[in-house]
Each structure stands twice: as structure tokens, then as C-alpha cells.
């Protein structure tokens, strides 16, 4: 066995939302560290492209179609992963994002955000974004006595960001669930942590950050003005933190923490 703290050889990582920008980068990063990757998501095209990139870089990966909001779909994907890759030891919950429909605007103030809008924000970011996958994959890890779960939170989980009200509340709940499960499963060999990315341009936040002509929105300028490093993150800048949390050797006594990769966003006051 390698004594490299960051070697994930022999691990099997399920990356839900591996079809997206951050999940895809994390899938590729964990594969480079040696893990076999199950890329899960709804988009076959983007999921297979992610698995292909991993294989082209000499890694091991396969795409499994799954809807994180459906218990049956997650269970079916889990059965397929077990029969074609083996027993998952790492779970990354990277499905989620902000839906412009549930964002406060001048035409749509807070009081007009309906309960259904709130439910859709919580469904995607808490129920599908963490809860159901933890029940499906995490509980099986706890039964086998070994695993590492990484929930993708957000700076919005720590302080409610303007406008993205349901998203912020749902991500705050992800932090809370992470701590709950860290305590619940510590004695059963499963570590549960979260990763808070700062601002990384991706599909789900493109309209908040950029005008159609590619110039920065006022919000994007305000974000950069509040980020000590004065830039957006690059998706591959999340990989080191994720490999650390995933590795049973590097972070064996670490559970229930939130690791921030945000260019200092949450450290800045005035
Ligand atoms: N980008 C940022 O600045 C930033 C900052 C903080 C936190 N985050 C969080 O990071 C995570 C990844 O977001 P991203 O920025 O990489 O956005 P993205 O590229 O839009 O990826 C989001 C992924 O979520 C998946 N997804 C949505 N609904 C799903 C469902 N029902 N079942 C399965 N997968 C589903 C989508 O996959 P399919 O379409 O294939 O289903 C998509 O690939 C999210 O939790 C987001 O909130 C992002």
C-alpha cells in the first residue's frame, strides 16, 4: 500500500453532478489521484464526455444516468455502480445550483417568492444535492464501515447572499446536515465534510455573472471587489481540497468540517 497521503488508488468515487463544471473537475481530479469514478447526472452527453476525458488521461471512469431527486433513480444507479465498478468509498455531492426563477429581483421581491419556489431551491440543493445521495450511498458505506462524503456547500451557506434567498437557506441546511451526519456516522467509519467554493463561473451562475456580450455584471464586479484575491476561482483549484477530504490517509481524523476554497471571500469584512 502506498504511503502517499493523497493516493486514492483502490477507491471508488461516486460524483453526482459530475456532468457539471465543478463536479466534472472534481471527478477528473480524483481520477488523477487514482480513484475509479462513477460520474452521475442526468445529462448523458456531458456525463459520457467527462468519463471520456478521464479515460483519455489514463484514468478509470464510467457514466451512470441518475436523477438526484429520485430515490428510485439513485438506487438503480447504485446497483449499476456496484455491478460494474464495485463498492463506493467516496461520495461527492455536486448536484445543485441557483435557479434564476427563485432569485429575488426588483420585479420579484422576497414576498413574491412562493412556497413552491422555495421548495424547488430546497429540492435541488438539499434533498437531491445532499440528503437522498447520503441515504443511498452514504448509508451503504456506514454499513460497510468505511467512506468519505463531501457535500458541496457555498459561501451563501455562511452568510445569506443578496437575491439568492432560497439557495442560501438550502446551502446553510447542507452545512447543518453535514455536521449531523458527521456525528451520526463517525463511529461507523464514514467521515462527512463539506467544501465551500467561492465564485467559479459555471452554467448555473452564468447569467448572474456575465452579460450576453461576456462583460461582467454589476454583481460580478461586486463579488470580485469583495474577494481578496480579486478573481474568480478555476474549477481545478478545488481538487486539492477534495482529494484531502476524500483520502482516508490524509484526513483520517477530520469530520464535520467545512473547507473553504474562496480566494478569501469569507475572510473579508471591510
Ligand atoms: N460555480 C460556483 O461558483 C459555485 C459556488 C458555490 C457552490 N457551487 C455549487 O457547486 C455545485 C456544482 O455547481 P456548478 O457551479 O458546477 O454548476 P453546473 O455546471 O450547473 O453543475 C450543476 C450540476 O448539477 C446537476 N444536477 C442538477 N439537477 C440534478 C438532478 N436532479 N440530478 C442529478 N444532477 C443534477 C447537473 O447535472 P445534469 O444536468 O446532468 O443533471 C449539473 O451538471 C452546486 O451544488 C453549486 O451550488 C458552485
Amino acid at each position: 500500500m502506498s504511503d502517499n497521503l493523497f493516493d486514492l488508488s483502490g477507491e471508488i468515487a461516486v460524483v453526482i453532478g459530475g456532468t457539471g463544471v465543478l463536479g466534472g473537475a472534481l471527478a477528473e481530479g480524483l481520477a488523477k489521484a487514482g480513484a475509479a469514478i462513477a460520474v452521475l447526472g442526468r445529462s448523458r452527453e456531458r456525463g459520457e464526455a467527462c468519463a471520456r476525458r478521464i479515460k483519455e488521461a489514463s484514468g478509470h471512469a464510467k457514466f451512470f444516468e441518475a436523477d438526484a431527486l429520485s430515490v428510485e433513480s439513485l438506487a438503480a444507479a447504485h446497483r449499476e455502480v456496484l455491478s460494474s465498478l464495485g463498492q463506493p468509498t467516496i461520495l461527492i455531492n455536486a448536484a445543485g445550483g441557483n435557479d434564476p426563477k427563485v432569485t429575488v429581483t426588483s420585479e420579484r421581491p422576497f414576498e413574491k417568492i412562493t412556497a413552491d419556489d422555495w421548495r424547488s431551491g430546497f429540492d435541488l440543493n438539499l434533498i437531491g444535492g445532499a440528503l437522498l445521495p447520503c441515504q443511498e450511498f452514504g448509508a451503504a458505506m456506514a454499513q460497510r464501515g468505511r467512506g468519505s462524503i463531501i457535500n458541496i456547500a457555498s459561501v451563501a451557506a455562511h452568510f445569506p447572499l443578496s437575491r439568492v434567498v432560497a439557495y442560501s437557506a438550502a446551502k446553510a441546511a447542507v452545512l447543518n446536515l453535514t455536521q449531523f451526519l458527521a456525528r451520526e456516522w463517525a463511529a461507523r467509519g464514514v467521515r462527512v465534510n463539506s467544501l465551500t467554493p467561492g465564485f467559479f463561473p459555471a452554467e448555473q451562475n452564468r447569467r448572474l455573472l456575465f452579460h450576453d456580450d461576456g462583460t461582467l455584471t454589476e454583481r460580478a464586479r461586486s463579488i470580485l471587489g469583495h474577494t481578496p484575491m480579486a478573481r474568480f476561482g478555476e474549477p481545478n483549484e478545488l481538487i486539492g481540497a477534495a482529494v484531502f477530504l476524500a483520502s482516508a490517509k490524509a484526513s483520517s481524523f477530520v469530520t464535520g468540517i467545512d473547507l473553504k476554497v474562496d480566494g478569501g471571500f469569507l475572510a473579508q469584512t471591510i
Side-chain angles (χ1 to χ4, degrees):
M1 194 166 119
S2 156
D3 56 6
N4 174 353
L5 290 178
F6 301 97
D7 178 15
L8 298 181
S9 305
E11 306 287 345
I12 296 173
V14 171
V15 183
I16 309 192
T19 49
V21 174
L22 301 190
L26 292 174
E28 289 181 56
L30 263 60
K32 282 197 182 123
I37 311 293
V39 178
L40 268 63
R42 294 166 307 176
S43 165
R44 176 164 292 280
E45 192 189 338
R46 284 184 280 114
E48 284 181 343
C50 177
R52 201 164 43 246
R53 284 194 301 277
I54 290 172
K55 286 186 272 191
E56 281 165 5
S58 308
H60 190 35
K62 193 164 179 213
F63 170 68
F64 302 87
E65 201 169 319
D67 179 352
L69 289 171
S70 157
V71 172
E72 295 74 26
S73 172
L74 287 171
H78 193 176
R79 284 193 296 275
E80 287 178 48
V81 173
L82 284 169
S83 70
S84 64
L85 292 182
Q87 296 178 339
T89 52
I90 297 166
L91 168 65
I92 299 200
N93 278 317
N98 179 58
D99 182 344
K101 274 202 324 286
V102 297
T103 298
V104 170
T105 61
S106 48
E107 300 79 50
R108 219 157 158 270
F110 166 75
E111 59 274 23
K112 298 275 190 220
I113 307 274
T114 65
D116 281 344
D117 295 335
W118 274 86
R119 279 186 203 105
S120 79
F122 269 75
D123 277 351
L124 174 57
N125 290 291
L126 176 64
I127 309 294
L131 174 69
L132 298 182
C134 285
Q135 289 179 323
E136 180 61 43
F137 295 97
M141 290 177 193
Q143 233 163 25
R144 293 192 293 268
R146 180 167 126 72
S148 171
I149 298 176
I150 304 172
N151 292 323
I152 305 300
S154 163
V155 294
H158 299 266
F159 295 103
L161 293 183
S162 61
R163 299 184 56 196
V164 293
V165 59
Y167 177 75
S168 296
K171 288 292 191 180
V174 168
L175 285 188
N176 194 283
L177 177 67
T178 299
Q179 290 175 308
F180 174 86
L181 288 177
R183 191 199 54 219
E184 193 76 4
W185 285 341
R188 299 176 69 193
V190 177
R191 297 177 302 107
V192 188
N193 295 290
S194 59
L195 190 55
T196 279
F199 291 85
F200 293 70
E203 198 41 45
Q204 50 90 13
N205 58 11
R206 190 173 42 82
R207 288 175 54 198
L208 280 175
L209 300 178
F210 301 103
H211 295 299
D212 287 344
D213 64 4
T215 56
L216 295 178
T217 60
E218 194 186 328
R219 186 175 181 84
R221 286 200 303 274
S222 154
I223 288 165
L224 295 184
H226 190 92
T227 303
M229 289 191 181
R231 64 172 176 84
F232 293 124
E234 300 281 342
N236 62 15
E237 293 182 294
L238 290 173
I239 293 170
V243 171
F244 165 70
L245 292 176
S247 166
K249 288 177 289 228
S251 60
S252 51
F253 199 45
V254 177
T255 197
I257 71 157
D258 178 66
L259 189 46
K260 299 166 187 68
V261 182
D262 67 352
F265 185 89
L266 287 169
Q268 172 131 318
T269 51
I270 53 170

